[in-house]
């Protein structure tokens, strides 16, 4: 499903700049109106979730746009209702919460890797649409994205992590093991979407072999799903600096960062 021709970086940056301006408008609108937005990103390892989230966060305030990427559950959390540890991270008024993986871990990595039973997975699939209905009815705008990467592109990206010191942290033993279970993940993904793609919380699938197009398409779609409007603001005018009242600045720090570059 990827476009035959990769998007050139110049065109990508031009489009992304416009979308960043819209994301800032969304940020100001959410703060002004008290809107609550929750965005979930799911997909296989190497599907491009992190790149999309980074593109979203590049020009907005992390106090309003906040990323949630929870570590593995503690022993106490393992004994709770599975979705329970995610509930405190749902948005309050004026917040846009972005989940880098979410409660759908239960029927993704946990199911495929055997960290939960089939019975637990089935119960999750039955209960989740009801929980998400309650979330939406509480006033939260809930958006769910699945990034679909091809076998060939996933392999290319995973191999690219092996010798790249910037990306080696993305290649855990769990990632390597999950790579071998493509068909298991495909089966789990299909059942997950079939059971939880509801009218009030639909799944949106983005084919993600072309990273640049994927980021632009998702940000554009996200903006289209939220009824934000531009908030009127007075144009900022810098004031004159105050008088120094005889102060002379003889700043001489003891420790200075070396100018190596």
């Amino acid at each position: 499903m990827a476009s035959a021709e990769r998007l050139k970086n110049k065109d990508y940056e031009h489009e992304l700049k416009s979308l960043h301006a819209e994301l800032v408008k969304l940020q100001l609108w959410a703060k002004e109106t008290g809107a609550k937005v929750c965005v979930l990103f799911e997909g296989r390892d190497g599907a491009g979730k992190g790149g999309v989230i980074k593109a979203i966060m590049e020009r907005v305030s992390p106090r309003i746009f906040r990323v949630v990427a929870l570590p593995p559950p503690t022993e106490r959390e393992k004994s709770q209702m599975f979705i329970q540890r995610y509930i405190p991270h749902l948005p309050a008024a004026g917040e846009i919460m972005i989940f880098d993986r979410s409660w759908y871990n239960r029927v993704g990595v946990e199911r495929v890797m055997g960290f939960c039973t089939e019975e637990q997975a089935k119960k999750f699939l039955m209960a989740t649409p009801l929980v998400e209905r309650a979330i939406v009815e509480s006033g939260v705008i809930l958006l769910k994205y699945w990034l679909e990467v091809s076998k060939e592109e996933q392999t290319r990206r995973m191999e690219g992590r092996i010798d790249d010191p910037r990306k080696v942290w993305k290649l855990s033993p769990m990632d390597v093991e999950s790579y071998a279970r493509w068909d298991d993940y495909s089966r789990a993904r299909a059942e997950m979407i079939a059971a939880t793609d509801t009218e009030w919380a639909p799944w949106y699938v983005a084919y993600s072999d072309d990273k640049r197009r994927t980021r632009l398409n998702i940000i554009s779609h996200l903006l289209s799903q939220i009824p934000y409007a531009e908030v009127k603001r007075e144009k900022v005018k810098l004031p004159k600096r105050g008088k120094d009242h005889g102060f002379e600045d003889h700043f001489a720090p003891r420790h200075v960062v070396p100018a190596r570059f």
Side-chain angles (χ1 to χ4, degrees), residues 7-25:
L7 190 64
K8 294 179 181 178
N9 189 60
K10 181 178 179 181
D11 295 331
Y12 168 71
E13 293 293 343
H14 174 75
E15 295 295 338
L16 187 60
K17 182 178 180 180
S18 297
L19 291 173
H20 279 157
E22 293 302 314
L23 286 170
V24 171
K25 290 179 185 178

Side-chain angles (χ1 to χ4, degrees), residues 248-261:
E248 293 186 17
D249 190 356
H250 298 297
F251 185 52
R254 292 176 59 197
H255 306 288
V256 177
V257 176
R260 295 179 57 196
F261 303 98

Side-chain angles (χ1 to χ4, degrees), residues 39-42 49-50 53 67-70 98-102:
V39 187
L40 313 185
F41 287 103
E42 295 287 348
K49 300 179 295 299
I53 293 170
V67 177
V68 180
L70 298 186
I98 298 177
F99 284 77
D100 184 354
R101 296 196 183 277
S102 66

Side-chain angles (χ1 to χ4, degrees), residues 28-199:
L28 296 172
W29 172 82
K31 183 178 180 180
E32 178 76 13
T33 63
K36 299 179 289 184
V37 181
C38 182
V39 187
L40 313 185
F41 287 103
E42 295 287 348
R44 307 172 196 270
D45 293 314
K49 300 179 295 299
V52 173
I53 293 170
K54 183 178 179 181
I56 291 172
M57 296 297 296
E58 191 173 337
R59 298 291 181 177
V60 295
S61 169
R63 289 184 291 274
I64 295 176
F65 278 80
R66 298 168 62 187
V67 177
V68 180
L70 298 186
T74 63
E75 289 302 314
R76 179 176 184 276
E77 289 170 335
K78 289 177 182 178
S79 70
Q80 298 174 338
M81 176 183 176
F82 186 77
I83 200 173
Q84 188 172 336
R85 74 185 188 120
Y86 293 93
I87 297 297
H89 300 280
L90 291 175
E95 292 180 341
I96 300 170
M97 306 299 284
I98 298 177
F99 284 77
D100 184 354
R101 296 196 183 277
S102 66
W103 46 89
Y104 282 100
N105 267 351
R106 172 63 94 188
V107 286
V109 65
E110 290 212 354
R111 187 181 195 182
V112 172
M113 302 303 293
F115 296 137
C116 74
T117 66
E118 276 300 299
E119 182 182 3
Q120 288 173 321
K122 297 289 186 183
K123 287 182 177 179
F124 174 89
L125 292 174
M126 291 176 60
T128 297
L130 301 178
V131 174
E132 290 179 349
R133 180 190 280 275
I135 291 172
V136 171
E137 289 181 349
S138 75
V140 174
I141 297 173
L142 178 60
L143 298 171
K144 304 186 303 190
Y145 290 100
W146 174 270
L147 276 65
E148 182 71 6
V149 66
S150 68
K151 280 185 176 181
E152 297 75 19
E153 182 62 17
Q154 187 197 39
T155 297
R156 189 187 71 79
R157 293 176 186 177
M158 298 287 274
E159 288 179 342
R161 296 174 178 180
I162 295 174
D163 297 316
D164 190 333
R166 302 167 302 170
K167 300 178 181 179
V168 68
W169 63 273
K170 295 183 176 183
L171 206 58
S172 69
M174 185 71 67
D175 297 329
V176 174
E177 177 63 24
S178 67
Y179 171 82
R181 303 194 183 192
W182 178 275
D183 289 337
D184 291 337
Y185 269 99
S186 295
R187 191 176 299 109
R189 179 256 289 133
E191 189 169 346
M192 177 192 79
I193 291 180
T196 61
D197 183 22
T198 59
E199 182 181 348

